[in-house]
């Protein structure tokens, strides 16, 4: 008896999939780029199983079941901030600085020394924008970390922090970034992007660097040979067009520079901030967003689920919806997300726990460095 072979689009046709969605599935299968209209249509009409199946297919085509994590820790120099983003639960205004924290140079170096002899590969430095912590101060911090532990990759400062410290030092963005690079900065984290579209940005974070400023800082870093990440804060007042506009601007820059390591959707958490009246997105919406990001951002190899923000169980689910990176061990060194209401109140995962999470969904855990070079593949159930 002849058995008919079905391909992906045959199966979708049998399931009576809408003809426009079917055309999108065919494009994905043929590795053709989706338009902005198609991106919006996926948000409007793409059922969870449909976008998830396609995103899983694309992630497997790229990564063959591998899921990355790294061993890292954070330094949060201060939560005192000159800006007043409405979604932020973490910052304290300068006039209330006694309610916040300001780490000294020595306190930050002590955090680095605490990891002496431990196999961490990355330090992530990000915090509020303190009017008295300037470019000179951070260059000194970078060079002291570099001198103490030359092999530790320093990923530091959102474009918001960089824009402020470089403008205050009266340098051009290129001069400031060059100075920080010479002091030891190697990559930029993706924070501060929020939603680029001014209709949203002017409401949720009107006073900090705008979309063009954020993009210019990352493009300058890429042109200086540094890599960076990109984020999108979703699940508040933005609509589907704003999300696709945001992703499209990043996709265009990635075509020009190739300097982004990964894309990180950040779920808005509503505890103790000026947007607490907004209901958080559902897990179905979270998973759809990760899947659609994987389909639309066709020139980003890596899609990261940041588990301290999403919670480890939702992060684990995203691994079947296009995600191939879980960030890292963190070791309870960040407060931004616990203060915003994440279920992860003391975020810390051992290598073994991360590997178990990844194995449990049938994937292969791989430890990576910041630039996604593979350090160790954990093919067996137990982490070594
Ligand atoms: O820009 C602040 C977000 C970001 C809330 O590059 C909130 O590897 C949700 O960008 N609900 C900073 N999100 C952190 C960041 C980051 C985190 C992890 C890894 C990387 C990376 C970058 O945190 C801010 C903002 O978008 N944020 N408050 C909140 N209530
Ligand atoms: Fe300051 Fe960043 Fe909070 Fe905005 S999100 S208020 S820039 S710490």
């Amino acid at each position: 008896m002849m058995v008919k072979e079905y391909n992906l689009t045959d199966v979708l046709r049998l399931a009576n999939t809408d003809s426009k969605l079917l055309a999108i599935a065919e494009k994905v299968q043929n590795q053709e780029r989706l338009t902005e209209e198609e991106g919006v249509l996926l948000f409007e009409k793409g059922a969870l199983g449909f976008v998830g199946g396609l995103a899983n297919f694309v992630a497997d085509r790229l990564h063959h079941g591998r899921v990355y994590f790294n061993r890292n820790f954070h330094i949060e120099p201060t939560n005192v901030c000159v800006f007043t983003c409405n979604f932020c639960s973490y910052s304290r205004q300068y006039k209330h600085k006694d309610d916040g924290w300001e780490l000294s140079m020595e306190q930050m170096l002590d955090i680095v020394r605490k990891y002496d002899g431990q196999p961490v590969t990355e330090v992530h430095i990000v915090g509020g924008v303190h009017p008295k912590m300037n470019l000179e101060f951070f260059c000194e911090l970078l060079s002291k970390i570099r001198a103490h532990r030359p092999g530790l990759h320093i990923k530091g400062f959102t474009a918001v922090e960089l824009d402020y410290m470089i403008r205050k030092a009266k340098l051009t963005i290129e001069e400031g970034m060059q100075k920080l690079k010479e002091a030891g900065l190697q990559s930029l984290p993706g924070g501060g992007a929020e939603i680029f579209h001014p209709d949203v940005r002017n409401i949720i974070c009107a006073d900090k660097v705008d979309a063009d400023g954020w993009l210019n800082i990352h493009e300058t870093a890429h042109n200086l040979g540094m890599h960076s990440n990109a984020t999108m804060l979703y699940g508040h007042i933005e609509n589907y067009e704003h999300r696709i506009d945001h992703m499209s601007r990043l996709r265009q820059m990635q075509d020009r520079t190739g300097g982004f390591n990964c894309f990180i959707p950040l779920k808005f958490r509503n505890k103790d901030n000026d947007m607490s009246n907004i209901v958080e997105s559902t897990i179905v919406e979270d998973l759809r967003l990760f899947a659609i990001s994987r389909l639309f951002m066709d020139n980003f190899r890596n899609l990261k689920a940041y588990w301290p923000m999403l919670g480890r169980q939702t992060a684990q689910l995203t691994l079947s919806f296009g995600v191939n990176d879980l960030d890292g061990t963190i070791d309870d060194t960040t407060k931004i997300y616990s203060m915003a209401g994440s279920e992860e109140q003391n975020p810390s995962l051992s290598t073994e726990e991360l590997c178990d999470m990844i194995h449990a969904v049938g994937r292969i855990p791989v430890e990576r460095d910041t630039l996604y070079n593979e350090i160790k593949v954990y093919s067996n159930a137990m982490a070594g």
Side-chain angles (χ1 to χ4, degrees):
M1 190 179 77
M2 284 285 287
V3 179
K4 182 169 170 20
E5 281 189 18
Y6 290 104
N7 68 21
L8 187 67
T9 40
D10 288 336
V11 173
L12 292 169
R13 223 172 257 122
L14 288 173
N16 283 330
T17 306
D18 172 292
S19 63
K20 285 188 179 157
L21 291 177
L22 202 55
I24 292 178
E26 264 162 4
K27 282 178 93 170
V28 169
Q29 225 178 350
N30 298 332
Q31 305 197 42
E32 290 168 39
R33 176 163 281 191
L34 302 186
T35 63
E36 293 190 18
E37 292 69 31
E38 288 166 334
V40 172
L41 187 80
L42 285 176
F43 275 119
E44 285 169 351
K45 294 202 172 162
L48 179 63
F50 173 79
V51 294
L54 284 179
N56 206 25
F57 166 79
V58 173
D60 280 346
R61 186 164 62 194
L62 278 167
H63 298 287
H64 311 286
R66 282 160 130 77
V67 170
Y68 295 105
F69 67 92
N70 73 348
R71 299 202 217 197
N72 61 351
F73 63 97
H74 289 220
I75 298 178
E76 295 180 350
T78 182
N79 67 338
V80 174
C81 190
V82 298
F83 297 117
T84 53
C85 307
N86 291 341
F87 53 79
C88 185
S89 322
Y90 159 89
S91 64
R92 296 293 175 267
Q93 287 180 11
Y94 189 67
K95 62 182 176 211
H96 301 303
K97 68 182 171 51
D98 294 343
D99 299 338
W101 69 85
E102 298 163 309
L103 300 185
S104 66
M105 186 74 66
E106 271 315 296
Q107 284 172 315
M108 290 193 268
L109 292 171
D110 276 344
I111 297 177
V112 178
R113 290 185 202 111
K114 204 180 115 193
Y115 292 92
D116 285 355
Q118 292 192 39
V120 288
T121 59
E122 173 190 282
V123 55
H124 174 132
I125 309 174
V126 71
V129 178
H130 192 296
K132 301 218 165 119
M133 290 182 175
N134 59 20
L135 184 79
E136 290 304 319
F137 176 82
F138 284 123
C139 283
E140 188 183 336
L141 175 69
L142 292 167
S143 48
K144 285 187 164 155
I145 297 175
R146 169 73 49 259
H148 180 74
R149 190 159 174 179
L152 188 67
H153 187 107
I154 309 179
K155 178 178 82 176
F157 311 120
T158 64
V160 178
E161 296 165 274
L162 293 165
D163 174 65
Y164 184 85
M165 71 173 94
I166 294 173
R167 275 191 298 111
K168 221 169 166 188
K170 298 201 174 4
L171 297 174
T172 65
I173 295 298
E174 193 170 353
E175 290 164 346
M177 293 302 299
Q178 182 66 41
K179 225 168 174 266
L180 288 154
K181 184 183 174 193
E182 281 161 16
L185 187 65
Q186 289 162 289
S187 303
L188 309 189
E194 321 313 357
I195 287 285
F196 289 140
H197 199 286
D199 287 354
V200 175
R201 203 171 184 86
N202 290 339
I203 296 173
I204 65 170
C205 55
D207 53 359
K208 71 184 185 189
V209 67
D210 65 7
D212 288 345
W214 191 99
L215 291 163
N216 179 40
I217 287 175
H218 281 255
E219 188 147 9
T220 306
H222 297 174
N223 291 337
L224 290 171
M226 300 160 90
H227 284 79
S228 71
N229 296 338
T231 58
M232 176 173 78
L233 180 71
Y234 73 91
H236 43 90
I237 60 166
E238 87 290 358
N239 62 27
Y240 296 151
E241 279 82 6
H242 297 134
R243 291 179 181 179
I244 289 294
D245 170 74
H246 187 94
M247 293 194 229
S248 183
R249 295 189 206 211
L250 293 169
R251 194 171 74 169
Q252 284 167 40
M253 193 201 295
Q254 182 75 327
D255 278 342
R256 291 197 298 278
T257 69
F260 286 118
N261 279 331
C262 69
F263 180 56
I264 317 165
L266 292 172
K267 174 186 174 110
F268 166 68
R269 308 304 307 242
N270 68 4
K271 186 170 163 230
D272 290 337
N273 57 46
D274 291 342
M275 290 162 56
S276 291
N277 59 318
I278 294 173
V279 178
E280 291 180 357
S281 59
T282 61
I283 294 179
V284 169
E285 268 306 295
D286 297 333
L287 295 176
R288 271 177 16 96
L289 180 126
F290 276 92
I292 294 167
S293 305
R294 169 56 84 193
L295 300 176
F296 190 77
M297 308 286 270
D298 59 354
N299 52 3
F300 279 66
R301 274 186 72 77
N302 301 302
L303 179 63
K304 184 194 282 191
Y306 188 57
W307 65 266
M309 184 68 92
L310 271 179
R312 65 189 74 181
Q313 295 211 7
T314 308
Q316 189 182 28
L317 277 174
T318 65
L319 299 180
S320 303
F321 292 81
V323 166
N324 71 303
D325 183 23
L326 281 182
D327 196 85
T329 45
I330 314 281
D331 201 25
D332 196 14
T333 47
T334 176
K335 293 200 178 65
I336 303 180
Y337 318 99
S338 49
M339 288 171 83
S342 166
E343 41 283 83
E344 301 291 345
Q345 284 300 299
N346 298 98
S348 189
L349 282 175
S350 64
T351 303
E352 190 173 343
E353 285 170 317
L354 273 163
C355 288
D356 286 350
M357 274 169 74
I358 296 167
H359 277 132
V361 292
R363 296 286 201 269
I364 306 157
V366 180
E367 185 189 346
R368 62 159 175 87
D369 67 13
T370 310
L371 304 177
Y372 289 82
N373 297 304
E374 294 192 357
I375 295 176
K376 182 167 176 183
V377 181
Y378 290 86
S379 350
N380 304 317
M382 282 297 291

